[in-house]
């Protein structure tokens, strides 16, 4: 089918809750994606940071193919090897906790919210504090946790027990904690909110407040985790450990999966019957996740993220010097934001037309999140396209 034919089917049969570019994608390999008419695109956005190893990494493909022919689904009343091995990878690369598996970022955060509440069910504490410009998902509880009014519009009444504080404002946070507060939840590097990096003082301050007041520190690493920051998890830049952490997006290297990991003494509050997910931890998705961890290790990708991340930021800062339209460049590893003085929607449209996938978030911030195995030549190619578009009057 061609683009026009599929578009007609969508117009008729698919709910129009997304603004879609008129492009029919048919295949991908590494940083390259092709449409039905054979046009090639350079993907330096990775579909919201999902395609962590590029499209169709051979190790991920092999893991899925082999697992698909063995066992695709098993109910969680049995054991499977991929789920156990993936939990081991997550735990050993983070803070030694235990994992619960689900299928998306929102579900992972929903699990974290439920765990924080059930863990405190004897204390009567239930309130959770989140931060301005955060993004935690689209279920009714996680959208309530998301402190951006535009995502709340039309969905009232929201869930009780959430309050919001300005990001990176430790003083305001301390004031807003009361005797019903049970947890503080944040992204160490805000993605949707415009690539905003938590300060060291803020992250360490939150840890200290949580320790002093007996609160849970929940980190949402759905977007910034899995090596994107140059360390396995973004919190590892701050010399602290959270109590609960959530993952999704990149965890399956392209396959739908989410996970929550929590310190053992907290995790045990999620007693049998208290929470579940039918597809959570299915062997197919977990086999992909195991392949992702093994590939990051085998290919030394954290090192590549550090190198390619510094190179990208350096080049973008040079571009900023000659292009007044760029207000700021900020990022950690390969999670980079280019803040413009104008709305970036039109610029992104032009990039896509010119064969480059990037994204604009929070109206003015271009998100640059190439796969972890990106090469200098891909970055150069992408920045050349971006430069020519930003240079047009
Ligand atoms: C994308 C995202 C989510 C939601 O993930 P879904 O898989 O879309 O439910 C939650 N938190 C953060 C930080 C995200 O970037």
């Amino acid at each position: 089918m061609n683009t026009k034919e599929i578009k007609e089917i969508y117009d008729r049969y698919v709910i129009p809750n997304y603004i879609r570019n008129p492009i029919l994608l048919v295949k991908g390999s590494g940083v390259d994606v092709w449409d039905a008419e054979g046009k090639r695109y350079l993907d330096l956005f990775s579909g919201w940071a999902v395609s962590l190893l590029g499209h169709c990494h051979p190790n991920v493909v092999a893991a899925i193919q082999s697992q698909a022919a063995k066992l695709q689904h098993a109910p969680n009343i049995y054991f499977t090897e991929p789920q156990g091995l993936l939990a081991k990878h997550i735990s050993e690369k983070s803070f030694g906790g235990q994992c619960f598996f689900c299928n998306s970022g929102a579900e992972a955060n929903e699990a974290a919210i439920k765990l924080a509440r059930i863990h405190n069910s004897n204390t009567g504490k239930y309130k959770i504090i989140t931060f301005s410009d955060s993004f935690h998902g689209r279920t009714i509880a996680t959208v309530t946790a998301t402190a951006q009014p535009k995502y709340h519009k039309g969905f009232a009444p929201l869930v009780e027990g959430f309050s919001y504080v300005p990001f990176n404002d430790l003083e305001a946070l301390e004031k807003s904690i009361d005797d019903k507060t049970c947890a503080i939840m944040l992204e160490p590097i805000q993605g949707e909110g415009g690539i905003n990096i938590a300060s060291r003082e803020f992250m360490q301050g939150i840890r200290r407040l949580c320790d002093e007041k007996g609160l849970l520190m929940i980190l949402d690493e759905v977007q910034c985790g899995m090596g994107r920051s140059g360390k396995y998890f973004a919190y590892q830049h701050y010399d602290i450990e959270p109590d609960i952490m959530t993952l999704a997006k990149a965890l399956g290297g392209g396959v739908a999966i989410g996970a929550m990991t929590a310190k053992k003494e907290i995790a045990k509050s999620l007693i049998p019957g208290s929470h579940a997910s039918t597809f959570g931890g299915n062997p197919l998705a977990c086999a992909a996740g195991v392949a992702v961890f093994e590939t990051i290790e085998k290919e030394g990708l954290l090192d590549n993220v550090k190198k390619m991340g510094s190179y990208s930021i350096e080049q973008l800062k040079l571009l900023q010097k000659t292009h007044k339209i760029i207000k700021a460049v900020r990022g950690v590893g390969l999670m980079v934001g280019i803040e413009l003085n104008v709305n970036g929607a039109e610029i992104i449209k032009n990039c896509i037309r010119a064969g480059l996938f990037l994204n604009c978030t929070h109206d003015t911030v271009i998100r640059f999140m190439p796969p972890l195995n990106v090469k200098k030549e891909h970055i150069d190619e992408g920045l050349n396209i971006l430069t020519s578009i930003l240079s047009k009057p």
Side-chain angles (χ1 to χ4, degrees), residues 209-283:
L209 286 173
C210 285
D211 290 341
E212 282 170 14
K213 299 176 192 286
L215 314 177
L216 299 174
M217 181 171 185
I218 304 173
L219 292 183
D220 176 348
E221 296 226 12
V222 167
Q223 193 165 147
C224 62
M226 294 307 292
R228 181 143 295 282
S229 73
K231 294 189 187 277
Y232 267 103
F233 303 106
Y235 79 81
Q236 291 164 337
H237 291 277
Y238 296 90
D239 296 313
I240 54 116
E241 277 180 359
D243 300 299
I244 301 173
M245 176 175 75
T246 56
L247 300 172
K249 292 204 162 89
L251 179 57
V255 176
I257 183 168
M260 169 186 71
T261 182
K263 288 183 180 162
K264 210 171 168 178
E265 66 274 17
I266 298 158
K268 69 172 191 248
S269 295
L270 224 49
I271 53 168
S274 63
H275 194 53
S277 163
T278 299
F279 288 116
N282 70 82

Side-chain angles (χ1 to χ4, degrees), residues 85-106:
L85 291 183
L86 183 57
K88 183 167 186 273
H89 277 294
I90 294 172
S91 178
E92 289 181 352
K93 292 289 182 271
S94 60
F95 48 88
Q98 292 180 312
C99 296
F100 164 81
F101 290 102
C102 49
N103 315 286
S104 69

Side-chain angles (χ1 to χ4, degrees), residues 104-107 109 135-138 187 192 220 222-223 248-249:
S104 69
E107 282 173 82
N109 287 329
F135 186 85
H136 298 298
R138 304 287 199 148
E187 302 152 80
E192 214 65 25
D220 176 348
V222 167
Q223 193 165 147
K249 292 204 162 89

Side-chain angles (χ1 to χ4, degrees), residues 41 67 107 195 295 345:
Y41 300 85
Q67 188 60 47
E107 282 173 82
I195 315 292
T295 304

